[in-house]
Each structure stands twice: as structure tokens, then as C-alpha cells.
Amino acid sequence: MPEIAVERLSKRYGETLAVDDLSFTVEAGRVTGFLGPNGSGKSTTLRALLGLIRPTSGHALVLGRPFHELANPVQTVGASLDASDVHPGRTGRSHLRTLSAAAGLPNSRVDEVLDMTELTPARDRRVKGYSMGMRQRLALAAALLGDPKILMLDEPANGLDPQGMRWLRDILVALAGEGRAVLISSHVLSEVEQTVDSVVVIGAGRLVMQGSLQDLIAGDQRPALVRSPRRDELRELLEQTGASATVDGRSDRMLVHHASLEDIGLLAAKHGIPVFELTRAVSTLEDRFLELTGEGGNVR
């Protein structure tokens, strides 16, 4: 059974369909990136999983149950949806102690999560003096109070400097390595690419793609990058086989679609055409994300 299961989830606000028949799963021991353009339904889905809104139809399940049916919700799910949702007059430690007391947790756990998030030196400072990066750490500390099996984090990298992003990446990977399911919604795609194992991409409230990061950005669907001094001759031969090629007018390179590296190499060898470079073009998460979701024109 997956840790998180969204099953044909829909949520309508009046005439607006925020989430539309969405289904995906999140497994334990992995960091899963939850990606989509602004307004694509990510926050609505997270709120449904946490029982903060009632679905119009479908289910949002944690360990096979709706959130409100969990016997020990704090020990099951830790969540951060808004790092700024803290009383500015409280200190970091008093904020966490209030949360721990409400959940029936010992104060010793507060000190543990302050150490985990490297906030111990700032624990007695008022939150209004925290930077955005420090507030993100405090939000993560709050999510970790119950030592949960599942973490759901909405834009946890906002406000973090490069050092903070590396720290966040390391701690999320470590938490998943302990067997937890980690679901992060983020628009910082360069950071997501270095952190996640799996991705769920949505657009206009619908599932666009779910799979491993490598499935998303790699594979034979990427064009081949070919460099040859007889580029145009090779291009004509390739197009006779059904492939298509886009040339670089400033060099002897071209991008070839709908042909394997083996077929390109064999065709060039058959006709005695020298090839100086033959590889798959590099694709990034951002490239594939934009291909899959477009430029947000159809996103609610």
C-alpha cells in the first residue's frame, strides 16, 4: 500500500475546477517532487490530503485512510504549507513548545528538532527577527515534531540561500533514507532535480506524468546530437529513413529526432560519412517540465 494515494480526486470552487480527476501515489523511502505551474492544483491537493478541504469527489488517502481517520496524525504526517504562519512575537522554541504540548509530545522533542534544523542558536529569538530561510527551517522543525512517517512540504526552498538549499536537500534525502515518504511541492526546478527520486507533474488540475526522475528527463525520446563535416548529406539520408533533423547554422551540428544512436551510426558508416560526435542531447527537468505543461496558458 502506498503511503499517499490520490484517487480520482476532484475539487470544484463554484465554476472553477481546481483539481480534475487526479490520481497518483507516493511511496515510502523516496523524495517525490510535486510539480505544476502556478494555479495547477498542487496546494489544493495537499490541503485535501491533510483534511483541510473536502473533495468534491474522489479520495485523498494517507496510509489508506482519510486524514481525519488517522489514529495518530502527528506521528503519521508532518506538513508545512506556509512558513510564514507563525506568531511573530513568539520565539522559535516557544512556538514549537506550543505545538508539541498540543500534540502531547515531550519538550525534549523540541530541542531535538531545533538541532536537526540547525536553529538551536536562534531558538530564543523572536520569529519576527527570523529571515525567510530561518522560517523555512522552523516550519520543517514543526513538521518533524511527531517524528512522522510522511512529510508534505509546500515550497520548502523559498527564501533559502545556496547553502540552505544544500542543507535542505541533504536532510530530505536523509529522511527518505530512513524509510519516510517525502512529498515536496516546488517551483525551484533546478533544486528539485538534485533532490527527488520521483516526480508527479500536474497541469490544469490533471495528471500529466508520474514516474522516476530519470523517466522524465532521460530516455530515447530525447533527440540525438550529431556532429559531422558532411552534416547536410547525412541529414538527407536520415530524412529518407523517416527521421527529422534540425541543423545548427553556426556549426556542423544537428539535432536528430525519431532515430536511435545505433541507426544513425550505422547509416553514417554505410555511406562513409565521418561522425565526430554522436550522443543524446542533454535534457533538464526544466526542459521536460515546460514541454509537458506548456507555458501555463491552459492552467487554472
Side-chain angles (χ1 to χ4, degrees):
M1 179 178 65
E3 306 298 282
I4 294 172
V6 174
E7 301 174 349
R8 306 201 66 177
L9 179 69
S10 294
K11 179 59 180 178
R12 182 180 292 277
Y13 296 98
E15 296 299 317
T16 301
L17 188 58
V19 179
D20 184 6
D21 200 34
L22 177 64
S23 297
F24 67 88
T25 58
V26 177
E27 303 291 339
R30 302 177 71 82
V31 181
T32 299
F34 190 31
L35 312 178
N38 289 337
S40 60
K42 300 189 302 297
S43 294
T44 299
T45 302
L46 293 177
R47 290 173 67 82
L49 283 165
L50 294 169
L52 299 175
I53 60 172
R54 180 176 296 179
T56 303
S57 62
H59 304 281
L61 306 176
V62 177
L63 298 182
R65 297 173 177 269
F67 186 86
H68 69 271
E69 293 183 6
L70 295 175
N72 297 297
V74 175
Q75 285 78 33
T76 305
V77 181
S80 170
L81 300 187
D82 184 357
S84 64
D85 189 19
V86 182
H87 192 290
R90 287 182 174 167
T91 66
R93 181 161 58 175
S94 68
H95 169 67
L96 293 175
R97 281 187 171 178
T98 299
L99 296 177
S100 68
L105 301 172
N107 281 335
S108 59
R109 182 59 181 167
V110 170
D111 295 328
E112 291 174 7
V113 296
L114 284 168
D115 284 340
M116 289 176 65
T117 54
E118 300 180 3
L119 278 177
T120 299
R123 63 187 179 184
D124 294 321
R125 288 172 52 186
R126 296 186 186 279
V127 174
K128 64 182 178 182
Y130 279 17
S131 66
M132 186 58 192
M134 294 172 68
R135 293 187 184 213
Q136 290 284 15
R137 290 175 185 250
L138 184 63
L140 180 57
L144 290 170
L145 273 172
D147 197 17
K149 299 176 182 179
I150 300 167
L151 279 173
M152 299 185 201
L153 308 174
D154 194 4
E155 301 290 355
N158 275 359
L160 295 181
D161 58 17
Q163 182 180 3
M165 285 190 173
R166 173 174 288 186
W167 167 85
L168 178 66
R169 178 169 67 245
D170 291 345
I171 194 171
L172 293 181
V173 170
L175 290 167
E178 295 171 358
R180 305 174 208 259
V182 180
L183 179 64
I184 60 170
S185 169
S186 180
H187 69 276
V188 187
L189 298 183
S190 59
E191 183 58 29
V192 169
E193 188 168 1
Q194 299 181 65
T195 307
V196 305
D197 307 296
S198 305
V199 289
V200 175
V201 182
I202 68 173
R206 295 183 177 183
L207 182 69
V208 175
M209 185 269 185
Q210 173 173 15
S212 72
L213 180 65
Q214 289 305 312
D215 286 342
L216 178 61
I217 65 175
D220 288 342
Q221 73 273 15
R222 290 181 295 161
L225 177 63
V226 185
R227 185 162 64 92
S228 170
R230 293 162 59 184
R231 180 196 65 192
D232 293 338
E233 182 182 350
L234 180 56
R235 177 188 181 189
E236 291 180 4
L237 291 168
L238 285 166
E239 289 180 343
Q240 291 173 16
T241 69
S244 61
T246 304
V247 301
D248 183 343
R250 297 170 296 178
S251 71
D252 54 2
R253 291 184 175 185
M254 62 180 170
L255 289 176
V256 179
H257 298 264
H258 313 302
S260 69
L261 299 183
E262 292 81 3
D263 289 344
I264 296 170
L266 288 172
L267 184 64
K270 178 180 178 181
H271 293 274
I273 298 174
V275 173
F276 298 155
E277 184 176 0
L278 178 57
T279 187
R280 287 288 172 196
V282 175
S283 180
T284 67
L285 177 58
E286 182 176 3
D287 294 335
R288 291 292 289 134
F289 176 82
L290 293 174
E291 288 176 16
L292 289 168
T293 63
E295 297 184 358
N298 296 321
V299 175
R300 296 178 180 86

